[in-house]
Amino acid sequence: SGNVSGNTYVGGLVGYLNASNGTVSIDNSYATSQVTGNDRVGGLVGAEYAQAGTALISDTYATGAVVGSSFVGGLAGFLTGTTATVKNSFWDIDGTGQVDGFGSVGHNEINKKKKNAVQMQLPGTYATWDTGFWTVSGAGQTVSGYGVTRPYLTQVTRVADRPAPGTLFAGGWGGLTNTQQSGADGSAYGITSWQQLANLNQVLTSNYSFALNNNLDSSSTGYSTLASSTANGNAGWLPIGNSTTAFKGIFDGQNKTISNLNINRPVADYIGLFGNAQNAAIRNVGMVGGSVTGRGGVGALMGNLGADSSIGYSYATGSVAGYDKVGGLVGNVGGGSSSVSHSYALGSVSGTSNSVGGLVGALGDSAGLNSISASYATGSVTGINEVGGLVGTVHGSGIASGQARINT
């Protein structure tokens, strides 16, 4: 902590890391200092050289403001040499004021680990770090909003110097009651920003309850970096839940809308606002506009609705495209005892293979009853085989009870 200032080779932790002969490294370290200099200025290291030896920076982060004139970076001002490497290290683009991690080019792992101030507090950011050195988790469900914090060195950092805690959500207790967690009142975790919505990926399997407290659109905090067409390297929104880990819990949109969501992941499965859910309930949310593209199991709201799950009183108006199991609202409904009810889709749907539907791409399997009721779709639908205005494919024990109005 504190301030660091100089002229050349100025860093929050080390000014000059020089591997002219042999190996030098910095690991399990962090810097929060404000760093000011002229040339080769970095939040962690001013310059890292590896001309004849090996220089390695790993498991580190920097958060303090970084100011300089030339070769300025959130992590390091200057790196050179084919064996100058940075691994599993991060800089806070908000705190450092630097969108680039390194002021120079021609080294390993450039600009891959930038995070905003909230992402710097997420335990998932540091999943590969050694917890023998680091404390990476905050207070969790023991505080309202689910407490998180930036990591600190467990046996080194003084209590007074430990990072200030934050929360993943805008208050609430995730549905926990006082009998489950002291002080809890049963309220859902609140969501007021795109980042808080994205934070559901940090607690996918915890079976919490969430409530959308306001509309989210292109003017809402975090849109450009999380949900716009240029977010995540032009891939757009990262779905909540994936093919290996499904969302489990309750999401209540409280009749609010999520607008202008963009996803462009044409080689990925289970794509939508939610990628995959099991033992989940999604209700009372509208997906307005936007564009969603994936491969298999693609829908504006949900890619794959797995076992013992439901979607109710929800709708989507944007376009959806994929390969197979593509639907205007949900790509695939299966796994047994899952349903879509009182919902609709208005946008165009296109697929380049099978199971393409205006509302749901594919419904049902051999695992048990899956159903659609009191629902409809009105958008244009195009595909190759098993294409329907409401549902592309109904098989196994699926039951569809709704209507399709197709505008062409």
Side-chain angles (χ1 to χ4, degrees):
S1 61
N3 299 328
V4 179
S5 62
N7 184 45
T8 305
Y9 304 134
V10 187
L13 190 70
V14 174
Y16 185 35
L17 185 68
N18 185 11
S20 58
N21 188 17
T23 300
V24 294
S25 64
I26 298 173
D27 56 46
N28 297 304
S29 304
Y30 70 98
T32 60
S33 308
Q34 177 176 319
V35 183
T36 304
N38 180 42
D39 181 40
R40 292 165 172 79
V41 185
L44 189 79
V45 175
E48 177 184 0
Y49 285 82
Q51 298 295 351
T54 300
L56 172 64
I57 297 174
S58 65
D59 298 355
T60 64
Y61 73 81
T63 63
V66 181
V67 180
S69 299
S70 61
F71 296 117
V72 183
L75 270 175
F78 194 84
L79 281 81
T80 187
T82 58
T83 57
T85 301
V86 178
K87 295 173 56 180
N88 300 322
S89 296
F90 311 91
W91 75 98
D92 179 349
I93 59 175
D94 296 322
T96 64
Q98 300 296 323
V99 295
D100 293 321
F102 314 104
S104 62
V105 296
H107 50 272
N108 298 321
E109 201 161 312
I110 183 170
N111 292 347
K112 290 185 179 179
K113 301 295 184 180
K114 58 185 176 184
K115 304 290 181 180
N116 63 35
V118 175
Q119 292 168 333
M120 290 291 291
Q121 296 181 317
L122 302 182
T125 297
Y126 312 96
T128 63
W129 284 19
D130 187 347
T131 54
F133 291 102
W134 296 94
T135 295
V136 299
S137 299
Q141 68 178 34
T142 66
V143 300
S144 174
Y146 197 97
V148 291
T149 186
R150 291 199 315 271
Y152 60 86
L153 293 164
T154 308
Q155 301 298 324
V156 176
T157 307
R158 299 180 305 174
V159 173
D161 293 332
R162 291 176 182 175
T167 59
L168 291 182
F169 308 107
W173 293 91
L176 298 178
T177 64
N178 190 56
T179 59
Q180 297 168 301
Q181 174 62 57
S182 178
D185 61 8
S187 59
Y189 285 133
I191 296 169
T192 62
S193 69
W194 287 101
Q195 181 63 65
Q196 290 169 357
L197 184 61
N199 289 347
L200 268 67
N201 271 315
Q202 303 299 316
V203 289
L204 282 175
T205 62
S206 298
N207 200 25
Y208 292 135
S209 297
F210 305 89
L212 184 62
N213 290 342
N214 51 258
N215 298 334
L216 295 179
D217 56 30
S218 58
S219 66
S220 303
T221 301
Y223 176 79
S224 62
T225 57
L226 294 169
S228 71
S229 60
T230 58
N232 295 312
N234 299 323
W237 176 256
L238 178 66
I240 300 165
N242 52 62
S243 59
T244 58
T245 307
F247 168 75
K248 179 181 180 181
I250 297 172
F251 179 86
D252 190 341
Q254 300 194 116
N255 298 315
K256 304 298 191 300
T257 58
I258 296 173
S259 301
N260 306 314
L261 181 83
N262 289 277
I263 305 177
N264 183 28
R265 300 175 183 266
V267 296
D269 297 330
Y270 295 178
I271 297 298
L273 174 70
F274 288 83
N276 189 19
Q278 187 169 347
N279 299 108
I282 315 296
R283 56 184 181 245
N284 305 320
V285 62
M287 303 294 298
V288 177
S291 174
V292 174
T293 299
R295 184 174 62 181
V298 186
L301 178 59
M302 178 71 67
N304 180 70
L305 188 68
D308 302 306
S309 299
S310 64
I311 290 175
Y313 298 94
S314 298
Y315 66 90
T317 68
S319 62
V320 180
Y323 177 70
D324 65 352
K325 297 182 179 179
V326 185
L329 188 71
V330 184
N332 181 63
V333 178
S337 302
S338 292
S339 65
V340 176
S341 66
H342 299 92
S343 297
Y344 64 88
L346 308 182
S348 63
V349 182
S350 63
T352 56
S353 184
N354 305 330
S355 303
V356 184
L359 184 76
V360 172
L363 169 69
D365 56 27
S366 60
L369 180 65
N370 302 278
S371 66
I372 298 172
S373 62
S375 299
Y376 67 90
T378 67
S380 63
V381 183
T382 59
I384 305 301
N385 300 311
E386 301 175 19
V387 183
L390 187 70
V391 184
T393 304
V394 179
H395 57 88
S397 56
I399 298 176
S401 174
Q403 58 181 313
R405 296 199 299 267
I406 305 173
N407 298 327
T408 57

